[in-house]
Amino acid sequence: MADVKKINTALISVFHKDGLDEILKMLNADGVKFLSTGDTKSFIESLGYDCQAVEDLTGYPSILGGRVKTLHPKVFGGILNRRENEGDRQQIAQYEIPEIDLVIVDLYPFEATVASGASDEDIIEKIDIGGISLIRGAAKNYNDVVIVASKQQYSLLADILKESGANTTLSQRRMFAKEAFSVSSGYDSAIYNYFAGEDADDLRVPLNGQRAMRYGENPHQKGFFYGDFNAMFDQLHGKEISYNNLLDIDAATQLIAEFGAEPTFAILKHNNACGVATRSTILEAWVDALAGDPVSAFGGVLISNTEIDEAVAEEVNKIFFEVIIAPSYTEGALNILEQKKNRIILVQKQPAPRSRQFRSVLNGALVQDRDTATETPDMLTIVTKVAPTAEQITDMLFANKIVKQSKSNAIVLAKGGQLYASGIGQTSRVDALRQAIAKAKSFGFDLNGAVMASDAFFPFADCVEIAHEAGINAVIHPGGSIRDNDSVEYCDAHGMAMVTTGIRHFKH
């Protein structure tokens, strides 16, 4: 079987025509004949090239409102015939079927139509039939046919045409076939998910675009990211983003989304916050976020929900960190931050995704809705005789946002819109609290008047007792333990305020 094949006839039927003119010019210069339909045929002819209508080849017009255009043996026979199979050669000669060596086709924008909120009728009409059949047929016969299944492959085809003219190798055709099946499988998954809605019996997650990481969590592990990172971020500077960077970036964007437009700065390490502060200016927020744990901040991921200016950049630049994320930067700030060549500087263009979460487990996957519940003052139930002050409520809600995004078991101590310390990832809530208290004291924080947030209820009163002894006088937790009254009674006996939310925030 000859490896290099010449393109003599191309069938072209596309929705997206940008970038197509360069390809058509090179194909035409190599004597390639064109077949097409509708708007694409008109586009080809507008460039001055001859183009045969598919209707003239098949003897049938486009029918059923355009639903049937290319579904005909003279089209699919031309694509699927095996050039070196004598039986196929005899049949296409008998039925006067021309060989088609290149298929350039894309699919109706089904996902974009769904996202636009279109009617069910309009969405159904965007389920491509002819296009998907052309893609599968041409990809199946990659030994003889080139398939270009989306505009993302236009540049690759153009490069081949520039280098080799209208000739392709077997490895090139197989590569295009691989990309084509990626397009078709993703398209079918999107259609399935639309029809299944919330009642899907199977998990279909079409994620296009593989991005190889330097390695996985550790150097001996391979790592890859599937998705469109560039849709969420612009990377302005720095080294290649790693697997662990991405985990921290995801955690950072989820955390900062909790704080809305209030100027807030957060520092994360290993997916957990080690410094968070909300202030009237982002510079003040940075200073107080760093004060929460200047040791753990080393090598961390920084995120702001407000533009980084030169004054903030000057302060931030005093420590070593891996990544900084913000909605924008002033020119002066970038001049400072770019002084470290490996420092990753990201502009966040889209909010953190609020869709489902996926995790591989055993020989399958777990799927759940993201925890998008963020408590507000009207959601709190005061369960003690002493009611919290307005200031305490503000601090408790602040702390609760952080504990929600911390690994369980988690305890967060805060005061005045500043994270004092957290105990995270502990096997007991008592250990988490003791860790937080010890950490806060090691950085010189006075816990008198601070608040405590817990990601789950207190099964015993021991945490409340330890917190009170440290000077904490207000507590927020989900509630729901059969021994809730033990904690409430202790608070009442010692003048502490406690509120429950009714919402647990476990995070593993």
Side-chain angles (χ1 to χ4, degrees):
M1 183 178 294
D3 181 42
V4 176
K5 295 290 178 75
K6 173 77 166 64
I7 299 170
N8 295 303
T9 302
L11 170 62
I12 306 170
S13 180
V14 296
F15 189 87
H16 299 99
K17 299 173 181 65
D18 46 309
L20 186 61
D21 51 350
E22 180 186 12
I23 291 172
L24 292 170
K25 180 180 179 180
M26 289 187 282
L27 290 172
N28 182 71
D30 254 5
V32 177
K33 296 178 182 179
F34 298 133
L35 275 170
S36 192
T37 62
D39 291 341
T40 307
K41 178 176 179 292
S42 298
F43 176 76
I44 294 171
E45 292 175 333
S46 73
L47 297 174
Y49 309 132
D50 292 334
C51 183
Q52 182 183 4
V54 168
E55 293 92 328
D56 294 339
L57 171 65
T58 63
Y60 281 86
S62 173
I63 61 173
L64 306 181
R67 283 188 165 196
V68 180
K69 299 177 186 176
T70 57
L71 297 170
H72 192 279
K74 283 205 170 184
V75 174
F76 282 87
I79 294 170
L80 285 165
N81 81 88
R82 293 157 290 186
R83 307 313 195 246
E84 298 183 10
N85 182 292
E86 184 59 31
D88 287 5
R89 291 171 63 85
Q90 290 176 3
Q91 285 189 316
I92 66 169
Q94 177 184 353
Y95 296 108
E96 299 181 338
I97 298 173
E99 292 180 344
I100 297 172
D101 314 297
L102 168 64
V103 176
I104 303 177
V105 64
D106 58 13
L107 301 171
Y108 292 154
F110 178 82
E111 289 180 277
T113 305
V114 173
S116 73
S119 67
D120 185 67
E121 181 180 1
D122 289 339
I123 290 169
I124 297 303
E125 286 306 310
K126 286 297 185 289
I127 298 177
D128 207 308
I129 303 301
I132 202 79
S133 301
L134 290 170
I135 288 172
R136 292 180 64 84
K140 176 177 180 177
N141 200 26
Y142 71 89
N143 278 327
D144 299 302
V145 180
V146 181
I147 172 63
V148 177
S150 77
K151 65 179 182 179
Q152 278 70 36
Q153 277 90 58
Y154 285 3
S155 60
L156 184 56
L157 176 62
D159 289 342
I160 292 172
L161 293 173
K162 288 174 185 175
E163 182 177 338
S164 307
N167 300 285
T168 61
T169 65
L170 180 62
S171 63
Q172 289 169 339
R173 294 191 296 276
R174 186 180 176 92
M175 179 274 299
F176 277 115
K178 178 199 73 171
E179 295 297 327
F181 284 122
S182 173
V183 170
S184 65
S185 63
Y187 194 76
D188 285 339
S189 293
I191 295 170
Y192 168 77
N193 288 334
Y194 172 74
F195 276 90
E198 297 297 319
D199 299 320
D201 296 319
D202 301 289
L203 178 62
R204 298 286 184 269
V205 186
L207 291 173
N208 298 320
Q210 183 199 85
R211 180 174 182 154
M213 305 286 97
R214 295 197 304 275
Y215 49 80
E217 282 187 286
N218 301 292
H220 64 277
Q221 297 171 272
K222 290 183 179 180
F224 303 92
F225 173 72
Y226 292 87
D228 191 356
F229 182 84
N230 294 332
M232 276 195 68
F233 300 98
D234 284 331
Q235 183 171 352
L236 305 183
H237 183 76
K239 63 184 178 181
E240 182 183 349
I241 294 172
S242 72
Y243 184 102
N244 291 326
N245 288 155
L246 281 178
L247 291 175
D248 282 328
I249 290 167
D250 178 65
T253 56
Q254 295 293 338
L255 174 61
I256 206 70
E258 300 284 345
F259 294 94
E262 294 180 285
T264 302
F265 219 120
I267 307 167
L268 289 89
K269 197 74 170 287
H270 298 297
N271 311 158
N272 291 292
C274 57
V276 185
T278 296
R279 293 290 181 262
S280 58
T281 70
I282 202 65
L283 177 58
E284 294 172 306
W286 160 252
V287 171
D288 288 343
L290 180 62
D293 188 346
V295 175
S296 295
F298 182 87
V301 169
L302 282 49
I303 188 165
S304 166
N305 62 358
T306 304
E307 181 176 71
I308 301 295
D309 60 21
E310 192 169 346
V312 177
E314 287 280 9
E315 292 301 313
V316 166
N317 200 45
K318 293 177 181 178
I319 72 164
F320 167 74
F321 59 89
E322 289 269 344
V323 182
I324 185 167
I325 309 164
S328 59
Y329 305 82
T330 66
E331 184 178 351
L334 286 176
N335 289 337
I336 295 167
L337 294 172
E338 290 175 354
Q339 291 173 7
K340 304 292 186 182
K341 69 175 183 178
N342 288 330
R343 179 179 287 162
I344 297 168
I345 303 174
L346 299 176
V347 172
Q348 185 177 352
K349 300 184 292 185
Q350 293 181 355
R354 311 295 276 177
S355 54
R356 294 183 298 173
Q357 290 178 299
F358 308 90
R359 177 179 290 186
S360 61
V361 176
L362 302 175
N363 63 346
L366 286 172
V367 182
Q368 68 171 355
D369 295 333
R370 283 190 183 272
D371 184 356
T372 58
T374 299
E375 288 78 358
T376 57
D378 59 299
M379 297 168 66
L380 305 181
T381 300
I382 301 171
V383 295
T384 49
K385 295 176 182 177
V386 175
T389 65
E391 183 178 356
Q392 287 175 326
I393 288 176
T394 298
D395 278 341
M396 286 192 287
L397 291 174
F398 172 87
N400 206 59
K401 292 173 181 178
I402 301 170
V403 84
K404 169 187 169 182
Q405 299 293 342
S406 301
K407 300 292 185 183
S408 302
N409 287 308
I411 294 286
V412 164
L413 308 179
K415 183 179 178 182
Q418 181 183 16
L419 171 62
Y420 272 16
S422 59
I424 49 179
Q426 299 301 305
T427 52
S428 86
R429 204 157 300 281
V430 169
D431 286 345
L433 174 57
R434 285 181 170 146
Q435 181 189 62
I437 291 171
K439 197 169 188 179
K441 289 182 177 179
S442 72
F443 292 116
F445 287 113
D446 180 2
L447 291 175
N448 285 295
V451 304
M452 173 174 71
S454 173
D455 62 338
F457 60 66
F458 299 110
F460 305 100
D462 46 7
C463 281
V464 177
E465 295 173 14
I466 295 168
H468 175 253
E469 291 170 1
I472 295 161
N473 56 15
V475 179
I476 181 172
H477 71 119
S481 167
I482 59 173
R483 301 176 66 109
D484 273 355
N485 281 341
D486 292 356
S487 297
V488 173
E489 288 173 3
Y490 184 90
C491 288
D492 285 339
H494 295 83
M496 298 174 68
M498 176 180 283
V499 300
T500 58
T501 65
I503 301 174
R504 191 180 72 184
H505 291 298
F506 271 171
K507 188 175 183 182
H508 294 95

